Amino acid sequence: MKFVIQSSELYARLQILGRVIASKNNLPILDGILFETQGDTLVLTASDNETTVTSRTALIECDANCRFVINAKTIQDTVRELPEQPLTFFVNEGSFEVTIEYQNGHYRFMASPADEYPTPPPADGERATIALDSARLLAGIGRTAFATDNDEYRPVMTGIFFDVAEGNATLVATDRHKMVCDKTPLAGESATGSFILPKKPAALLKSILPKAEGQTRISWTPRSATIETGDTCVTCRLIEGRYPNYQSVIPSDAPNSATISRPALVSALRRMLSFSGATASLIKLAFNPGGLTVSREDVDFSMSAEEALLCDYQGSPINIGFKGQYLLELLNNLESEEITIRMSDPSRPGVVTPTPQAEGEDVLMLLMPMVLND
């Protein structure tokens, strides 16, 4: 059989699918990408047995339907170096020999039959479905993914928690030191419930969603989720377990509030962090009606640094300490020119929000304080 596809179109799909394939697979067939021709459409599938991504794209020409598996590295390396042009695939359905012809030559290699390629198990349990604006979902995943935990003994903390209720989906991530909540209004389909999305499919969505338009549809059961956007579908196993009550740690009363230039604070923190040893991570923020003083001290190396920044402060003078790298991470995952930090006292979490919030945006970042010696 024969089919023709544009090289750039194929390579764009292969780049996404290649991220799914694990470095070590128990099933050798999972080292490959499943090719399926269906009329004038090519369906590509990659899986690691936990996460499966399927992408559909149009063919220039196709004379038959066929299924076969090509080693992912082989096909990626082949297409990567080719300039933009149509590629003609010839597939021997008996021997599974594949020949790719292009303007100046050809490649020939062996594929594998698709009979042993695994398919995701059918969904079990009651299914709920929601729809989200693709751009808002991308922003929410981008803001929360960095705050997930890496502790394999607390698996529920290693993913992004989706809390769906009252017409919104709140994306939550925490590692017990910092927490991010990003509330997104639902678009169209509505449901209630919750699930925990693992890091790998979340990372895949960060590469898929920038090219998506319109809405992304998410449906889930207690054990698995299917995420469809445009011509790409991600099916994954969910993290099972009970997520902590994130709402209980958000301060209900934080009377002290400071509005600060985010770029200015980021620059100051970067300078402060360069004056430290590996163990000296405490950044002290001293707020008063006259402004903000940012300082740090490394007693072991007899080093210290202090800077004064302008800020609009409302409340009683307060000195609070944060781990500098954590605060910098929070600020780097916001886009606004200004941020507001709300505090109650030096022993309770600081709440960071963009100022002002964009239309339809509801973002909250929380950071646990460190104990000040003075």
Side-chain angles (χ1 to χ4, degrees):
M1 62 87 65
K2 165 189 169 185
F3 66 89
V4 182
I5 186 170
Q6 201 68 22
S7 60
S8 59
E9 182 67 19
L10 176 59
Y11 186 60
R13 312 287 166 162
L14 294 175
Q15 282 185 300
I16 294 172
L17 293 166
R19 296 186 175 100
V20 186
I21 298 172
S23 56
K24 294 182 180 179
N25 284 304
N26 292 329
L27 296 175
I29 195 74
L30 292 179
D31 290 334
I33 294 175
L34 175 62
F35 281 63
E36 297 181 82
T37 55
Q38 300 175 358
D40 60 357
T41 300
L42 175 63
V43 182
L44 299 168
T45 302
S47 176
D48 65 0
N49 246 354
E50 298 256 335
T51 302
T52 300
V53 176
T54 300
S55 186
R56 308 172 70 90
T57 186
L59 294 171
I60 299 171
E61 178 186 338
C62 182
D63 64 8
N65 292 342
C66 186
R67 301 174 75 243
F68 54 93
V69 178
I70 298 179
N71 179 274
K73 187 177 186 306
T74 298
I75 188 64
Q76 283 180 302
D77 290 349
T78 299
V79 179
R80 179 186 294 116
E81 301 301 331
L82 293 174
E84 170 69 4
Q85 61 186 293
L87 304 178
T88 302
F89 283 69
F90 294 94
V91 182
N92 186 316
E93 297 181 63
S95 65
F96 288 96
E97 181 181 79
V98 176
T99 301
I100 303 177
E101 292 188 353
Y102 56 100
Q103 184 177 1
N104 299 318
H106 69 272
Y107 287 95
R108 182 178 292 113
F109 49 83
M110 297 302 297
S112 303
D115 300 342
E116 297 180 3
Y117 200 87
T119 56
D124 57 343
E126 185 177 352
R127 179 174 289 276
T129 301
I130 59 173
L132 298 166
D133 177 78
S134 296
R136 284 290 298 119
L137 177 60
L138 174 62
I141 292 174
R143 291 193 188 102
T144 53
F146 82 96
T148 55
D149 205 345
N150 294 314
D151 187 354
E152 61 182 17
Y153 296 105
R154 296 171 62 91
V156 297
M157 310 282 279
T158 65
I160 298 175
F161 180 60
F162 280 66
D163 185 12
V164 182
E166 299 178 352
N168 295 289
T170 303
L171 280 63
V172 183
T174 181
D175 62 2
R176 292 167 291 169
H177 303 289
K178 55 185 177 291
M179 184 178 77
V180 181
C181 299
D182 187 295
K183 184 181 290 186
T184 300
L186 301 180
E189 296 180 82
S190 181
T192 59
S194 62
F195 62 91
I196 307 172
L197 185 70
K199 283 184 181 180
K200 185 168 184 176
L204 289 168
L205 288 171
K206 287 177 68 175
S207 65
I208 294 168
L209 289 171
K211 301 177 180 65
E213 297 180 358
Q215 297 179 3
T216 295
R217 187 172 178 269
I218 304 176
S219 60
W220 73 94
T221 68
R223 293 187 177 182
S224 65
T226 300
I227 304 165
E228 300 175 84
T229 181
D231 49 27
T232 302
C233 176
V234 178
T235 302
C236 66
R237 186 176 299 174
L238 297 173
I239 298 174
E240 297 183 50
R242 186 178 182 84
Y243 202 78
N245 182 2
Y246 66 94
Q247 295 175 331
S248 66
V249 300
I250 301 174
S252 57
D253 181 27
N256 305 302
S257 174
T259 300
I260 316 160
S261 165
R262 186 184 66 85
L265 183 54
V266 166
S267 295
L269 288 173
R270 286 175 176 165
R271 288 188 288 272
M272 295 285 166
L273 290 172
S274 68
F275 283 90
S276 71
T279 58
S281 57
L282 173 65
I283 293 286
K284 177 182 175 182
L285 304 181
F287 293 95
N288 59 70
L292 165 64
T293 301
V294 184
S295 62
R296 72 170 303 151
E297 184 177 8
D298 189 335
V299 177
D300 294 337
F301 291 88
S302 300
M303 300 172 69
S304 65
E306 180 178 295
E307 290 192 24
L309 298 177
L310 295 174
C311 79
D312 180 8
Y313 184 68
Q314 304 293 326
S316 304
I318 185 172
N319 295 338
I320 190 168
F322 294 116
K323 186 167 184 177
Q325 193 59 45
Y326 290 164
L327 180 56
L328 186 60
E329 280 184 320
L330 260 62
L331 298 178
N332 282 335
N333 282 277
L334 293 170
E335 299 84 30
S336 60
E337 284 299 309
E338 292 187 326
I339 54 103
T340 296
I341 303 178
R342 301 196 309 275
M343 301 153 287
S344 55
D345 63 65
S347 64
R348 300 188 67 192
V351 178
V352 181
T353 57
T355 305
Q357 301 257 21
E359 184 178 354
E361 183 179 74
D362 190 350
V363 182
L364 176 150
M365 297 187 174
L366 181 147
L367 186 59
M368 297 299 295
M370 295 181 70
V371 176
L372 294 174
N373 294 324
D374 53 357

